[in-house]
Every structure is written in structure tokens, then in C-alpha cells.
Amino acid sequence: MSSGTIKKVAGPLVVATGMRDANMFDVVRVSNERLIGEIIEIHGDNASIQVYEETSGLKPGEPVESTGAPLSVELGPGLIGSIYDGIQRPLDKIMEISGNNLQRGVEVPALERKKKWHFVPSVTVGQKVITGDIIGTVQETEIVAHKIMVPYGISGTVSSIEEGDYTVIDDVASIRSDDGNKHKLTLMQKWPVRRGRPYAKKLQPDMPLVTGQRVIDVLFPIARGGTAAIPGPFGSGKTVVQHQLAKWAEADIVVYIGCGERGNEMTDVLNEFPTLKDPKTGYSLMKRTVLIANTSDMPVAAREASIYTGITIAEYFRDMGYSVALMADSTSRWAEALREMSGRLEEMPGEEGYPAYLGSRLAQFYERAGRVETFGTKSREGSLSVIGAVSPPGGDISEPVSQATLRIVKVFWGLDSSLAYKRHFPAINWLTSYSLYTDTLGKWFNKNVHEDWMKLRGRILLLLHEESELEEIVRLVGMDALSAPDRLKMEAARSVREDFLQQDAFNETDMHASLEKEYLMMKTVLAYYDESSEGLKNGISIDTVVTLPVRERIGRFKYVPEAEVQEEYNGIVKELHDEISDAAGKKEES
């Protein structure tokens, strides 16, 4: 371990001298208050340190001590349900020590050292194991079975293992490697946050992460192990969309990172998540969630660490074979931390003052997503899907963070403040959003839901695009100037928007929809368009078609429970056909 003294303090940047023996990214303790920092640059025996706590009051000459180890997270039972700050310190334990005001230099282990967990072995003495093999399980919560894996770089023969109650630092097994060395395994392992956890093989993103949000599943789907960005101005619903995805997406584990968000937003998350019921199990959503809270009034530099801390924890659960969804809210605040540190280091600025390496840093984060085969004798399939919110100033997505993100991610859910003000939720703009997974996932939807899925999706998108073109004409000359088929297109597109895409996040039935229900809802709104088009050809007036009584039933279809969906669909289609036939019959009589 090397030690030195403070030479210069500039906000979160501290320059220490006498650090010749230190390494890049070593964790250091700064000053007599032992503030946590990380070495980000070395010139000779001068080390530039990014300090993750408030640096006011520090002065030159105070000691700096390197721990000799990189910034790492503790991985083991006790992660689920925990609320951490950006450098994996449990906020509830810090509060016990320092009260409501966060004190500096508080040292608290990330995982509770005294709590005992019941360990059940899944291997026996004499059995050969390799990196990634599961040696036993701990039932961490009612929902999550925590799998204890052989750490990276260790393989050999199990020489001792026993069922029992252990703390995270007790030895639960030992492995004798082929060279005769003995490795003692505990329930906990450590991993450096800036290094992605390795895996055996990356798989094709050809399975969807079903979210229950119709605009996402149907129009702009995300793959399991995929990456998505949600840019949008203030108040357009980024956080609400992420809450819905955390609750409804088909993920076993949720890691939610509040990175530089306002304190009241994080308070909402911390208050809401424990009270939300997990729809799949009936237990609290916190029973499968890890929260990392790093608010805007916490030190800027800790924002960068929070992103890496969160994704390392997510990779750990992915390695167990779970489907993990990581929500980062928001990466713009993280980029601001990069800009702050880059300015303090006096680096040449890039566009709008952001560092020139902004794009590569974002790419390093997003590329850790993926669907993978893990290491182990019996490899498991795990996935890590990353959904990052972007908060461009004024909603202008031409700024550097949004543009760098769009070059990396495969799904873009562009939020629109005008839709949000109309109370259209989710406020995802169907004209600007896209998904590059559509082609590969289309095959899955056609095979597993219905062979017409992609055909219906294409027709719905076409209707929405044609509506936007017709709206230009309506603004100029009014609705009455449109032909009857064009007016019908406008009505059908309105039905798509209001009866299909719009969802009620507070309604028990409509806040989530199965793929089967989404398919039948698509068929319903298109059946109205097709039957009405046929009716217009048979001489029915456009006013009759627009005011059909069945339209109210079509609008209420979204509130029909899943068990009654098929029956209701059949009833709507029959009623629609009868009403069009009656109208055509009356036309002939007259």
C-alpha cells in the first residue's frame, strides 16, 4: 500500500503527491476523515483522485492512503431489498450511524456481517467443479433463490462442504485445485466494478423482453439482453415508464439506479417500491429489487460509480441464470459527472464541454448488456437488459449525450411532452421511436403468438403515419375537405391511439396486457377499419360509420380481464359485422 499527502483540492478532484507505488483505479482513503476516492490519473508520483464524498474543508498536507485494490462490490446474500448509495454503502446502516444528515468518511460493509443465512449444498465432497458452477443455494427472499457460485479463476475438487447457517464471511466449502492449493469459499465474493464479469458465450438477441406495455411490445420491442434509451424532456414520463417496466417486464431481478436524480423522485421510488405488489408472486416488489440511490445533492463524482456498481450487481445475478432488468435514471446526470471531472483535470473539451471520450464510456456501459451462456459444467442462460433514461436539456435530443446514446442502443423510445400533456400514457411518440430488434423478434412473435403479428403491426404503423400526413391537410383546410376514405383513416388511427396504444397505469386490468390480448386488440381496431371500408364501398355514409354504437365497446376492450378476452373479441366482431350489415340494408331500402 502506498501513502502520500494532498497537494491540491479542486472540488471532487484531489491531487496527491508521493503516490509512485499506487495503481490506476485503486481505492484510496483521503485525509484524516478517510473519505473514499479512486485514482483516475497518474503523472510520476502525483495521483489525481476522484473523491466520492464532499471535499470541503480538506487542505494540502493531509494524508492519502491507497488500499491497493480497485473499487469493488460485495456480491452475496443480502443484496436483494437493499438500498445503497453510489459506492454500495447501505443507506439504512449509514443512517443508524450518522442520523438523517450523511456524515463523511462513514465505513459500513455493503453486506450485513452478523446475519446468518441457511446454505443448502448442491455438490458433494469429492465432486469436481469449475468456475461458475453452483455449489449451493441460499433462499434470500421468498422469490429469489441466491445461487452460490465458484468464483472466477477457481476450479478443482470439493474437499469439504456442509449444510448449515452461515454469515457471508464464514467458510461454507473448500476446493482443492489440481496444483494442490486449497481455496476456501464463503457466501460472498468481490468483483471490481469497472471490469465486466466474464461469460462463456454471447447469444443472439432473438427473444423479446415482454413488458405488457402495448406500444413497446407491438411497435418497438426490446430483446432480452437488449439495450434501450428513453430520452424525453422534464415531465414526459421517463421515470413512470421505468417504474412500469420494473413492475411488469418479464425479469426475475430488477436493479434500479437513481443516478443524480432529484431527491423527491428517489424518495418516491424508495416509498413506492416496497408497497408495490409483484404481480407474478403477490409479494412486495422489493423482494426481487436492488436500489441504488444517488441523488443530485450527493457528490457529483459518486454518480459515475453508481452506474458501474449497479451493472456489476446485475451481471452477478445474470450469471446465476436469471433474467435481469437494469434501469438507469438518468445517464445524462452521469455524463454531467464526467464533464465535471474532465474540466477539473483540464482535459481538452469536446462538444458542449463534455469529454471527447463520452461516447466510448457510454458504449462500455451499454455493451455489458446481453443474453449469455454462463461458465460452469452445466452452463445456464442468463440475460441483462439495460434501459437508460436520458434527460436532454429542454428535450433537445440533438445534444451530445442523446446522440452518443442513440449510436449505441438498439431501441429508442422517444417521449413526447405534447402526448404527456394530453394524458396519453406511455407518451412514446410512434413517429420518432424505433427498434432495431424488430426483424429478429418478428420471427419469434409470428411463431409464438400468431403468424399474422408482424403483418398487423405493419398495418397499424402505416395507419399512424398516414394520419400524420392527413393532419397537415386538416390543419390547412379542415376535416370536411377530406374524402370519406381519408376521414375513415383518421378515425381508425384515432382508435389505434386511444383504444390500443394508450394505457391506464392506475387501472388493475389495463396497466398490463398479455401478448394474446395485444394481438386481439390489434385485430379489433383493424377489423373496425376493414368492415367500415367495405361499408363505405357499399354506400354507407362516413357519419354513420364514425358513430357506430360498437365503437364504445371497442374502446372498453382494454378493460376486459384476460380470461374473457377471446369471448369479448368474438362478440365485438359479430356486433360490428351486424351493425355494418344493418346500415347497408337501410341504405338499400332508402
Side-chain angles (χ1 to χ4, degrees), residues 358-376:
L358 172 67
S360 64
R361 285 286 175 87
L362 279 165
Q364 283 167 14
F365 167 65
Y366 280 108
E367 75 181 2
R368 288 171 74 168
R371 191 168 134 247
V372 304
E373 270 184 22
T374 63
F375 283 124

Side-chain angles (χ1 to χ4, degrees), residues 11-64:
L13 176 71
V14 168
V15 178
T17 187
M19 305 290 288
R20 189 173 291 278
D21 298 332
N23 299 311
M24 278 288 284
F25 301 121
D26 274 3
V27 172
V28 293
R29 291 286 179 176
V30 178
S31 84
N32 297 318
E33 295 195 46
R34 294 181 61 75
L35 309 184
I36 296 179
E38 185 183 20
I39 295 175
I40 54 172
E41 207 174 77
I42 296 175
H43 293 290
D45 66 347
N46 288 345
S48 298
I49 299 161
Q50 178 169 262
V51 180
Y52 292 131
E53 299 182 73
E54 182 58 53
T55 58
S56 57
L58 298 192
K59 54 187 182 289
E62 289 195 61
V64 174

Side-chain angles (χ1 to χ4, degrees), residues 14-134:
V14 168
V15 178
T17 187
M19 305 290 288
R20 189 173 291 278
D21 298 332
N23 299 311
M24 278 288 284
F25 301 121
D26 274 3
V27 172
V28 293
R29 291 286 179 176
V30 178
S31 84
N32 297 318
E33 295 195 46
R34 294 181 61 75
L35 309 184
I36 296 179
E38 185 183 20
I39 295 175
I40 54 172
E41 207 174 77
I42 296 175
H43 293 290
D45 66 347
N46 288 345
S48 298
I49 299 161
Q50 178 169 262
V51 180
Y52 292 131
E53 299 182 73
E54 182 58 53
T55 58
S56 57
L58 298 192
K59 54 187 182 289
E62 289 195 61
V64 174
E65 183 185 302
S66 168
T67 61
L71 184 65
S72 302
V73 287
E74 294 183 351
L75 304 168
L79 286 172
I80 299 290
S82 294
I83 301 165
Y84 295 113
D85 72 353
I87 44 179
Q88 213 203 3
R89 295 183 302 179
L91 290 176
D92 54 341
K93 299 293 179 206
I94 294 177
M95 195 177 83
E96 286 172 18
I97 295 169
S98 64
N100 288 339
N101 294 324
L102 224 69
Q103 284 180 12
R104 300 193 297 181
V106 177
E107 294 184 48
V108 189
L111 297 178
E112 174 65 64
R113 295 295 194 257
K114 291 178 184 171
K115 183 172 181 179
K116 294 208 166 185
W117 301 91
H118 187 71
F119 171 72
V120 180
S122 53
V123 295
T124 53
V125 173
Q127 195 170 325
K128 279 194 88 66
V129 291
I130 61 171
T131 294
D133 277 348
I134 294 167

